[in-house]
Amino acid sequence: MSGHTLHSAMILLIVGNALAVLSDVVVKLMGSDAPIFQFIVIRTLITLLLLLPFYRQFNHRAPFAGFKVHLVRSLTALLGVFCMVVALTTLPLATANAVFYVAPLMVMVLAVVLFGEKLTPLSMFAVVSGFVGTLVILRPIEFNWGALAALGSALSLAVNAVLVRSLPKDQSTVHKLFVSHLLMMPLALLLFAWEWFFSAPGWRLDIVSYALSSGTLMLIYSLTVLLAYRTVDANQVTSAEYTGLIWAIVIGWIWFAEAPDIWFVIGSLMIVVPLVLLGIVQNNRSTAPAAYRPPSSS
């Protein structure tokens, strides 16, 4: 399954998104009282160790080229993981994932603000519809820290996606991932120390297994995405990325008995349908830029 054909690429993305949702399940199972920064430190360390065997893909001549951008992305990612854990441990699995899918819409807005890009009428409709859909899902009267954390995680994903453009073009994806996680560690360790002494009830050994499972699943997800998009036009298969929401609904229903209500269904359609339409329209334009892929939540 190499991703060299449309069929295999679609399967890779469907399976990959299932694995990403399973990573979210792992995070959710930790519970709302989990020591979040202990989890972040362990998962970041595990990710670094898992990336080391691919050291040949690193740019050894200038490993920290684009340092300022890498640093901003790392700090944003740290905040995003924190928000992701809060969202997944306090909101229904499908609800959190639906809000995470607002990230591509935030990417469009940030591209306008930072790079002066112009939105097409359909893109503008997707942005407005998506944000209204988010309000429909969360409903302002039910806003809580979990809802705000989900939005914060989506914003973190969007910022990281946009800032990739400002990184050196000769840096591989593996190199960018490694540097990003490496620069996360100092602040993550400081926050872990603060959590240890002032908040968390000591070391929780079970967090190691949660972090290992989550980190491994997300790296495999990243691998499936890389394979799927290596030779296949992103616009042809980007709709498969949205199967993650279907997986979240099914797994949340079976595993956590979280039945989605009508508001969730309406709001999710308002977010996803315009994005799928964008992918279809862009696929029909030979000169169109690649569709924005919804970044993974974790």
Side-chain angles (χ1 to χ4, degrees):
M1 192 67 62
S2 64
H4 287 288
T5 68
L6 181 62
H7 178 70
S8 62
M10 293 284 284
I11 294 177
L12 279 169
L13 290 176
I14 291 171
V15 172
N17 275 274
L19 296 176
V21 173
L22 286 178
S23 174
D24 291 346
V25 170
V26 170
V27 174
K28 190 173 183 65
L29 289 174
M30 291 195 305
S32 57
D33 61 340
I36 297 178
F37 293 110
Q38 180 186 335
F39 169 79
I40 293 176
V41 166
I42 297 173
R43 197 178 88 157
T44 303
L45 180 60
I46 289 172
T47 301
L48 288 171
L49 292 174
L50 291 174
L51 288 172
L52 272 179
F54 303 97
Y55 70 93
R56 291 185 178 179
Q57 296 187 36
F58 299 167
N59 184 341
H60 300 283
R61 294 182 178 179
F64 292 104
F67 177 80
K68 292 182 180 179
V69 178
H70 276 299
L71 183 61
V72 172
R73 293 185 76 243
S74 297
L75 297 178
T76 304
L78 178 60
L79 175 62
V81 176
F82 174 83
C83 290
M84 177 268 296
V85 175
V86 173
L88 288 172
T89 54
T90 56
L91 293 176
L93 183 65
T95 299
N97 272 268
V99 178
F100 295 153
Y101 275 85
V102 178
L105 305 174
M106 293 181 173
V107 169
M108 296 181 196
V109 175
L110 288 173
V112 172
V113 175
L114 298 178
F115 300 107
E117 294 188 3
K118 294 183 179 180
L119 294 178
T120 65
L122 182 55
S123 296
M124 181 65 72
F125 170 73
V127 170
V128 174
S129 177
F131 286 124
V132 173
T134 304
L135 292 177
V136 171
I137 292 174
L138 296 176
R139 294 185 291 284
I141 59 173
E142 297 184 10
F143 248 63
N144 52 34
W145 285 113
L148 293 175
L151 289 170
S153 181
L155 179 60
S156 168
L157 292 167
V159 171
N160 270 270
V162 169
L163 290 181
V164 166
R165 303 186 190 185
S166 301
L167 290 174
K169 304 299 182 184
D170 59 348
Q171 290 183 350
S172 67
T173 300
V174 172
H175 182 107
K176 294 169 185 173
L177 282 172
F178 188 85
V179 173
S180 176
H181 284 80
L182 185 64
L183 294 179
M184 281 175 60
M185 282 300 290
L187 181 57
L189 286 169
L190 287 174
L191 292 170
F192 170 50
W194 173 83
E195 181 182 63
W196 177 285
F197 288 109
F198 299 104
S199 179
W203 180 266
R204 271 183 52 178
L205 188 60
D206 61 319
I207 296 296
V208 177
S209 61
Y210 287 126
L212 176 60
S213 300
S214 175
T216 302
L217 286 167
M218 287 310 300
L219 275 182
I220 297 175
Y221 162 74
S222 299
L223 180 61
T224 64
V225 171
L226 288 173
L227 289 173
Y229 286 99
R230 178 173 293 176
T231 56
V232 177
D233 186 355
N235 293 322
Q236 292 181 296
V237 293
T238 191
S239 59
E241 290 276 11
Y242 300 102
T243 57
L245 186 55
I246 298 175
W247 285 116
I249 294 172
V250 173
I251 295 175
W253 199 342
I254 295 174
W255 204 319
F256 301 103
E258 299 170 346
D261 58 19
I262 187 62
W263 297 110
F264 171 84
V265 174
I266 294 173
S268 297
L269 290 174
M270 293 178 70
I271 295 172
V272 173
V273 171
L275 288 171
V276 174
L277 289 175
L278 269 176
I280 294 174
V281 171
Q282 290 177 346
N283 187 44
N284 292 329
R285 298 175 181 172
S286 59
T287 58
Y292 290 113
R293 210 166 57 240
S296 165
S297 58
S298 58

